[in-house]
Short mmCIF file of all heavy atoms in Angstrom, two decimals:
data_model
loop_
_atom_site.label_atom_id
_atom_site.label_comp_id
_atom_site.label_asym_id
_atom_site.label_seq_id
_atom_site.Cartn_x
_atom_site.Cartn_y
_atom_site.Cartn_z
N ARG A 1 0.82 -1.21 0.00
CA ARG A 1 0.00 0.00 0.00
C ARG A 1 0.85 1.26 0.00
O ARG A 1 0.43 2.31 -0.52
CB ARG A 1 -0.94 -0.02 1.21
CG ARG A 1 -2.11 0.93 1.14
CD ARG A 1 -3.04 0.73 2.33
NE ARG A 1 -3.57 -0.62 2.37
CZ ARG A 1 -4.66 -1.02 1.71
NH1 ARG A 1 -5.32 -0.16 0.98
NH2 ARG A 1 -5.08 -2.27 1.80
N GLU A 2 2.05 1.19 0.55
CA GLU A 2 2.92 2.37 0.62
C GLU A 2 3.66 2.64 -0.68
O GLU A 2 4.20 3.72 -0.87
CB GLU A 2 3.94 2.19 1.75
CG GLU A 2 3.32 2.27 3.14
CD GLU A 2 4.30 1.90 4.24
OE1 GLU A 2 5.22 1.07 3.98
OE2 GLU A 2 4.16 2.42 5.36
N LYS A 3 3.69 1.67 -1.59
CA LYS A 3 4.43 1.84 -2.84
C LYS A 3 3.59 2.36 -4.00
O LYS A 3 4.10 3.08 -4.87
CB LYS A 3 5.07 0.51 -3.24
CG LYS A 3 6.22 0.09 -2.34
CD LYS A 3 6.98 -1.10 -2.90
CE LYS A 3 6.16 -2.36 -2.90
NZ LYS A 3 6.95 -3.52 -3.36
N HIS A 4 2.29 1.99 -4.04
CA HIS A 4 1.45 2.36 -5.17
C HIS A 4 0.04 2.68 -4.72
O HIS A 4 -0.44 2.17 -3.71
CB HIS A 4 1.35 1.21 -6.19
CG HIS A 4 2.63 0.81 -6.83
ND1 HIS A 4 3.45 -0.15 -6.30
CD2 HIS A 4 3.24 1.26 -7.95
CE1 HIS A 4 4.52 -0.30 -7.06
NE2 HIS A 4 4.42 0.56 -8.07
N THR A 5 -0.62 3.50 -5.53
CA THR A 5 -2.07 3.64 -5.45
C THR A 5 -2.65 3.21 -6.79
O THR A 5 -1.93 3.11 -7.80
CB THR A 5 -2.48 5.10 -5.15
OG1 THR A 5 -2.02 5.95 -6.23
CG2 THR A 5 -1.88 5.57 -3.85
N ARG A 6 -3.96 2.93 -6.78
CA ARG A 6 -4.63 2.54 -8.02
C ARG A 6 -5.85 3.43 -8.23
O ARG A 6 -6.54 3.79 -7.27
CB ARG A 6 -5.03 1.06 -7.98
CG ARG A 6 -3.84 0.12 -7.91
CD ARG A 6 -4.23 -1.32 -8.17
NE ARG A 6 -3.11 -2.23 -8.08
CZ ARG A 6 -2.23 -2.48 -9.05
NH1 ARG A 6 -2.37 -1.84 -10.22
NH2 ARG A 6 -1.25 -3.33 -8.87
N GLU A 7 -6.09 3.76 -9.49
CA GLU A 7 -7.21 4.64 -9.84
C GLU A 7 -7.96 4.04 -11.01
O GLU A 7 -7.35 3.72 -12.05
CB GLU A 7 -6.69 6.04 -10.18
CG GLU A 7 -7.76 7.11 -10.24
CD GLU A 7 -7.17 8.51 -10.30
OE1 GLU A 7 -5.95 8.65 -10.54
OE2 GLU A 7 -7.94 9.47 -10.10
N CYS A 8 -9.26 3.84 -10.85
CA CYS A 8 -10.08 3.21 -11.87
C CYS A 8 -11.09 4.20 -12.44
O CYS A 8 -11.80 4.87 -11.68
CB CYS A 8 -10.83 2.01 -11.29
SG CYS A 8 -9.80 0.70 -10.64
N PHE A 9 -11.17 4.24 -13.75
CA PHE A 9 -12.20 5.02 -14.44
C PHE A 9 -13.12 4.02 -15.12
O PHE A 9 -12.69 3.29 -16.01
CB PHE A 9 -11.56 5.99 -15.44
CG PHE A 9 -10.77 7.09 -14.77
CD1 PHE A 9 -9.45 6.87 -14.40
CD2 PHE A 9 -11.35 8.32 -14.50
CE1 PHE A 9 -8.71 7.87 -13.77
CE2 PHE A 9 -10.63 9.33 -13.86
CZ PHE A 9 -9.31 9.11 -13.50
N VAL A 10 -14.37 3.99 -14.68
CA VAL A 10 -15.29 2.92 -15.05
C VAL A 10 -16.50 3.49 -15.77
O VAL A 10 -17.12 4.46 -15.32
CB VAL A 10 -15.76 2.15 -13.80
CG1 VAL A 10 -16.77 1.07 -14.17
CG2 VAL A 10 -14.56 1.54 -13.07
N VAL A 11 -16.85 2.86 -16.90
CA VAL A 11 -18.12 3.12 -17.57
C VAL A 11 -19.05 1.97 -17.21
O VAL A 11 -18.77 0.81 -17.53
CB VAL A 11 -17.95 3.20 -19.10
CG1 VAL A 11 -19.31 3.45 -19.76
CG2 VAL A 11 -16.97 4.30 -19.46
N ALA A 12 -20.13 2.28 -16.51
CA ALA A 12 -21.06 1.25 -16.06
C ALA A 12 -22.23 1.12 -17.03
O ALA A 12 -22.59 2.07 -17.76
CB ALA A 12 -21.59 1.59 -14.67
N GLU A 13 -22.81 -0.08 -17.06
CA GLU A 13 -24.02 -0.28 -17.84
C GLU A 13 -25.16 0.53 -17.22
O GLU A 13 -25.17 0.79 -16.00
CB GLU A 13 -24.41 -1.76 -17.85
CG GLU A 13 -23.37 -2.69 -18.46
CD GLU A 13 -23.32 -2.61 -19.97
OE1 GLU A 13 -24.15 -1.87 -20.56
OE2 GLU A 13 -22.45 -3.27 -20.57
N GLU A 14 -26.11 0.93 -18.04
CA GLU A 14 -27.25 1.70 -17.55
C GLU A 14 -28.01 0.90 -16.49
O GLU A 14 -28.33 -0.28 -16.69
CB GLU A 14 -28.18 2.06 -18.71
CG GLU A 14 -29.32 2.97 -18.30
CD GLU A 14 -30.16 3.41 -19.49
OE1 GLU A 14 -29.78 3.10 -20.65
OE2 GLU A 14 -31.21 4.04 -19.25
N GLY A 15 -28.25 1.51 -15.36
CA GLY A 15 -28.99 0.87 -14.30
C GLY A 15 -28.16 -0.03 -13.40
O GLY A 15 -28.69 -0.65 -12.46
N ALA A 16 -26.85 -0.12 -13.64
CA ALA A 16 -25.99 -1.00 -12.82
C ALA A 16 -25.87 -0.46 -11.40
O ALA A 16 -25.97 0.75 -11.16
CB ALA A 16 -24.62 -1.12 -13.46
N ASP A 17 -25.62 -1.36 -10.47
CA ASP A 17 -25.45 -0.99 -9.07
C ASP A 17 -24.02 -0.49 -8.86
O ASP A 17 -23.09 -1.28 -8.74
CB ASP A 17 -25.73 -2.23 -8.18
CG ASP A 17 -25.70 -1.90 -6.70
OD1 ASP A 17 -25.10 -0.88 -6.31
OD2 ASP A 17 -26.24 -2.70 -5.91
N LEU A 18 -23.85 0.81 -8.79
CA LEU A 18 -22.51 1.40 -8.72
C LEU A 18 -21.81 1.07 -7.41
O LEU A 18 -20.60 0.84 -7.39
CB LEU A 18 -22.60 2.91 -8.91
CG LEU A 18 -23.25 3.40 -10.22
CD1 LEU A 18 -23.08 4.92 -10.36
CD2 LEU A 18 -22.68 2.69 -11.43
N ARG A 19 -22.55 1.04 -6.32
CA ARG A 19 -21.93 0.71 -5.03
C ARG A 19 -21.39 -0.72 -5.04
O ARG A 19 -20.31 -0.99 -4.51
CB ARG A 19 -22.94 0.89 -3.91
CG ARG A 19 -23.25 2.35 -3.58
CD ARG A 19 -24.11 2.46 -2.32
NE ARG A 19 -24.35 3.85 -1.95
CZ ARG A 19 -25.04 4.22 -0.88
NH1 ARG A 19 -25.55 3.29 -0.07
NH2 ARG A 19 -25.23 5.50 -0.62
N ARG A 20 -22.15 -1.66 -5.62
CA ARG A 20 -21.68 -3.04 -5.69
C ARG A 20 -20.43 -3.13 -6.55
O ARG A 20 -19.46 -3.82 -6.19
CB ARG A 20 -22.78 -3.94 -6.27
CG ARG A 20 -22.29 -5.38 -6.49
CD ARG A 20 -23.30 -6.22 -7.24
NE ARG A 20 -23.70 -5.66 -8.51
CZ ARG A 20 -22.95 -5.75 -9.63
NH1 ARG A 20 -21.77 -6.36 -9.60
NH2 ARG A 20 -23.38 -5.22 -10.76
N ILE A 21 -20.43 -2.46 -7.70
CA ILE A 21 -19.26 -2.49 -8.59
C ILE A 21 -18.03 -1.95 -7.88
O ILE A 21 -16.95 -2.56 -7.92
CB ILE A 21 -19.55 -1.70 -9.88
CG1 ILE A 21 -20.61 -2.40 -10.72
CG2 ILE A 21 -18.26 -1.50 -10.69
CD1 ILE A 21 -21.09 -1.61 -11.91
N GLU A 22 -18.18 -0.80 -7.21
CA GLU A 22 -17.05 -0.22 -6.50
C GLU A 22 -16.54 -1.17 -5.42
O GLU A 22 -15.33 -1.35 -5.25
CB GLU A 22 -17.44 1.11 -5.88
CG GLU A 22 -16.30 1.79 -5.14
CD GLU A 22 -16.66 3.17 -4.63
OE1 GLU A 22 -17.84 3.55 -4.72
OE2 GLU A 22 -15.76 3.87 -4.12
N SER A 23 -17.45 -1.79 -4.68
CA SER A 23 -17.05 -2.72 -3.63
C SER A 23 -16.31 -3.92 -4.21
O SER A 23 -15.29 -4.37 -3.65
CB SER A 23 -18.29 -3.19 -2.86
OG SER A 23 -17.93 -4.14 -1.87
N GLU A 24 -16.80 -4.46 -5.33
CA GLU A 24 -16.12 -5.61 -5.95
C GLU A 24 -14.72 -5.23 -6.42
O GLU A 24 -13.80 -6.04 -6.35
CB GLU A 24 -16.95 -6.15 -7.11
CG GLU A 24 -18.19 -6.90 -6.68
CD GLU A 24 -18.82 -7.69 -7.80
OE1 GLU A 24 -18.06 -8.22 -8.64
OE2 GLU A 24 -20.06 -7.77 -7.85
N ILE A 25 -14.56 -4.00 -6.90
CA ILE A 25 -13.24 -3.56 -7.36
C ILE A 25 -12.27 -3.45 -6.19
O ILE A 25 -11.21 -4.08 -6.19
CB ILE A 25 -13.34 -2.21 -8.11
CG1 ILE A 25 -14.11 -2.37 -9.42
CG2 ILE A 25 -11.94 -1.65 -8.39
CD1 ILE A 25 -14.43 -1.07 -10.11
N VAL A 26 -12.61 -2.65 -5.21
CA VAL A 26 -11.65 -2.35 -4.14
C VAL A 26 -11.34 -3.56 -3.28
O VAL A 26 -10.29 -3.61 -2.62
CB VAL A 26 -12.14 -1.17 -3.26
CG1 VAL A 26 -12.32 0.09 -4.10
CG2 VAL A 26 -13.42 -1.53 -2.54
N ASN A 27 -12.22 -4.58 -3.30
CA ASN A 27 -11.98 -5.77 -2.49
C ASN A 27 -11.50 -6.97 -3.31
O ASN A 27 -11.39 -8.08 -2.77
CB ASN A 27 -13.28 -6.16 -1.75
CG ASN A 27 -13.66 -5.13 -0.70
OD1 ASN A 27 -12.90 -4.88 0.22
ND2 ASN A 27 -14.83 -4.54 -0.86
N MET A 28 -11.16 -6.77 -4.58
CA MET A 28 -10.74 -7.87 -5.44
C MET A 28 -9.35 -8.36 -5.04
O MET A 28 -8.37 -7.61 -5.10
CB MET A 28 -10.72 -7.42 -6.92
CG MET A 28 -10.48 -8.55 -7.90
SD MET A 28 -10.39 -7.95 -9.62
CE MET A 28 -12.04 -7.29 -9.84
N PRO A 29 -9.22 -9.63 -4.62
CA PRO A 29 -7.91 -10.13 -4.21
C PRO A 29 -6.95 -10.22 -5.39
O PRO A 29 -7.37 -10.41 -6.54
CB PRO A 29 -8.23 -11.53 -3.65
CG PRO A 29 -9.53 -11.91 -4.28
CD PRO A 29 -10.29 -10.64 -4.48
N ASN A 30 -5.66 -10.06 -5.11
CA ASN A 30 -4.58 -10.12 -6.11
C ASN A 30 -4.54 -8.91 -7.03
O ASN A 30 -3.58 -8.74 -7.77
CB ASN A 30 -4.63 -11.39 -6.96
CG ASN A 30 -4.49 -12.66 -6.16
OD1 ASN A 30 -3.76 -12.69 -5.17
ND2 ASN A 30 -5.19 -13.70 -6.56
N TYR A 31 -5.57 -8.07 -7.01
CA TYR A 31 -5.63 -6.93 -7.91
C TYR A 31 -5.71 -5.59 -7.16
O TYR A 31 -4.92 -4.68 -7.42
CB TYR A 31 -6.81 -7.07 -8.88
CG TYR A 31 -6.58 -8.09 -9.97
CD1 TYR A 31 -6.90 -9.43 -9.77
CD2 TYR A 31 -6.02 -7.73 -11.19
CE1 TYR A 31 -6.68 -10.37 -10.76
CE2 TYR A 31 -5.79 -8.65 -12.19
CZ TYR A 31 -6.13 -9.98 -11.97
OH TYR A 31 -5.90 -10.91 -12.95
N PHE A 32 -6.69 -5.45 -6.24
CA PHE A 32 -6.93 -4.15 -5.64
C PHE A 32 -6.99 -4.15 -4.11
O PHE A 32 -6.84 -3.10 -3.49
CB PHE A 32 -8.26 -3.56 -6.17
CG PHE A 32 -8.25 -3.32 -7.65
CD1 PHE A 32 -8.88 -4.22 -8.51
CD2 PHE A 32 -7.61 -2.22 -8.18
CE1 PHE A 32 -8.87 -4.01 -9.88
CE2 PHE A 32 -7.60 -2.00 -9.55
CZ PHE A 32 -8.23 -2.90 -10.41
N SER A 33 -7.21 -5.28 -3.50
CA SER A 33 -7.49 -5.29 -2.06
C SER A 33 -6.31 -4.81 -1.21
O SER A 33 -6.51 -4.35 -0.09
CB SER A 33 -7.91 -6.70 -1.62
OG SER A 33 -6.90 -7.65 -1.89
N ASP A 34 -5.10 -4.91 -1.74
CA ASP A 34 -3.92 -4.50 -0.96
C ASP A 34 -3.50 -3.06 -1.24
O ASP A 34 -2.43 -2.63 -0.77
CB ASP A 34 -2.75 -5.43 -1.26
CG ASP A 34 -2.99 -6.84 -0.75
OD1 ASP A 34 -3.72 -6.98 0.24
OD2 ASP A 34 -2.47 -7.79 -1.36
N TYR A 35 -4.30 -2.32 -2.00
CA TYR A 35 -3.93 -0.96 -2.40
C TYR A 35 -5.01 0.03 -2.00
O TYR A 35 -6.18 -0.33 -1.87
CB TYR A 35 -3.74 -0.88 -3.93
CG TYR A 35 -2.71 -1.81 -4.49
CD1 TYR A 35 -3.02 -3.13 -4.79
CD2 TYR A 35 -1.41 -1.36 -4.72
CE1 TYR A 35 -2.06 -3.98 -5.31
CE2 TYR A 35 -0.45 -2.20 -5.25
CZ TYR A 35 -0.78 -3.52 -5.54
OH TYR A 35 0.16 -4.36 -6.06
N ASP A 36 -4.62 1.30 -1.86
CA ASP A 36 -5.60 2.38 -1.78
C ASP A 36 -6.12 2.61 -3.20
O ASP A 36 -5.36 3.04 -4.09
CB ASP A 36 -4.97 3.65 -1.23
CG ASP A 36 -4.62 3.53 0.25
OD1 ASP A 36 -5.26 2.73 0.95
OD2 ASP A 36 -3.70 4.24 0.71
N THR A 37 -7.37 2.31 -3.43
CA THR A 37 -7.96 2.34 -4.77
C THR A 37 -9.10 3.33 -4.83
O THR A 37 -10.00 3.32 -3.98
CB THR A 37 -8.48 0.94 -5.17
OG1 THR A 37 -7.41 0.00 -5.11
CG2 THR A 37 -9.06 0.95 -6.56
N THR A 38 -9.08 4.19 -5.82
CA THR A 38 -10.13 5.18 -6.05
C THR A 38 -10.88 4.80 -7.32
O THR A 38 -10.25 4.51 -8.35
CB THR A 38 -9.54 6.59 -6.19
OG1 THR A 38 -8.76 6.89 -5.04
CG2 THR A 38 -10.65 7.62 -6.35
N VAL A 39 -12.20 4.81 -7.27
CA VAL A 39 -13.03 4.45 -8.42
C VAL A 39 -13.83 5.67 -8.86
O VAL A 39 -14.51 6.30 -8.04
CB VAL A 39 -13.99 3.29 -8.07
CG1 VAL A 39 -14.87 2.95 -9.28
CG2 VAL A 39 -13.20 2.06 -7.62
N HIS A 40 -13.73 6.01 -10.16
CA HIS A 40 -14.50 7.10 -10.73
C HIS A 40 -15.44 6.50 -11.78
O HIS A 40 -15.01 5.73 -12.64
CB HIS A 40 -13.59 8.12 -11.43
CG HIS A 40 -12.49 8.65 -10.58
ND1 HIS A 40 -12.65 9.70 -9.69
CD2 HIS A 40 -11.18 8.29 -10.48
CE1 HIS A 40 -11.50 9.95 -9.09
NE2 HIS A 40 -10.60 9.11 -9.54
N PHE A 41 -16.70 6.86 -11.74
CA PHE A 41 -17.65 6.45 -12.77
C PHE A 41 -17.80 7.59 -13.77
O PHE A 41 -18.10 8.73 -13.39
CB PHE A 41 -18.99 6.08 -12.15
CG PHE A 41 -18.93 4.80 -11.36
CD1 PHE A 41 -18.79 4.83 -9.98
CD2 PHE A 41 -18.96 3.57 -12.00
CE1 PHE A 41 -18.72 3.66 -9.24
CE2 PHE A 41 -18.88 2.39 -11.28
CZ PHE A 41 -18.76 2.43 -9.90
N ILE A 42 -17.57 7.28 -15.04
CA ILE A 42 -17.59 8.29 -16.09
C ILE A 42 -18.43 7.78 -17.26
O ILE A 42 -18.84 6.62 -17.30
CB ILE A 42 -16.16 8.62 -16.58
CG1 ILE A 42 -15.49 7.39 -17.18
CG2 ILE A 42 -15.32 9.19 -15.44
CD1 ILE A 42 -14.14 7.66 -17.81
N THR A 43 -18.67 8.66 -18.23
CA THR A 43 -19.43 8.28 -19.42
C THR A 43 -18.49 7.68 -20.47
O THR A 43 -17.27 7.83 -20.41
CB THR A 43 -20.13 9.49 -20.03
OG1 THR A 43 -19.13 10.42 -20.52
CG2 THR A 43 -21.01 10.20 -18.99
N GLN A 44 -19.09 7.01 -21.46
CA GLN A 44 -18.30 6.45 -22.55
C GLN A 44 -17.61 7.57 -23.33
O GLN A 44 -16.47 7.40 -23.80
CB GLN A 44 -19.18 5.64 -23.49
CG GLN A 44 -18.41 4.81 -24.51
CD GLN A 44 -17.58 3.70 -23.86
OE1 GLN A 44 -18.12 2.86 -23.17
NE2 GLN A 44 -16.28 3.70 -24.08
#
């Protein structure tokens, strides 16, 4: 966590549960769970 941060820019499907998506990202093992991760939802 002290060496890197991660930043995600995500285009979600219409009507998708944004809170669930963000939770799945930041808690994903081997990818994001060990980092300070910021998720931004943006348009296509």
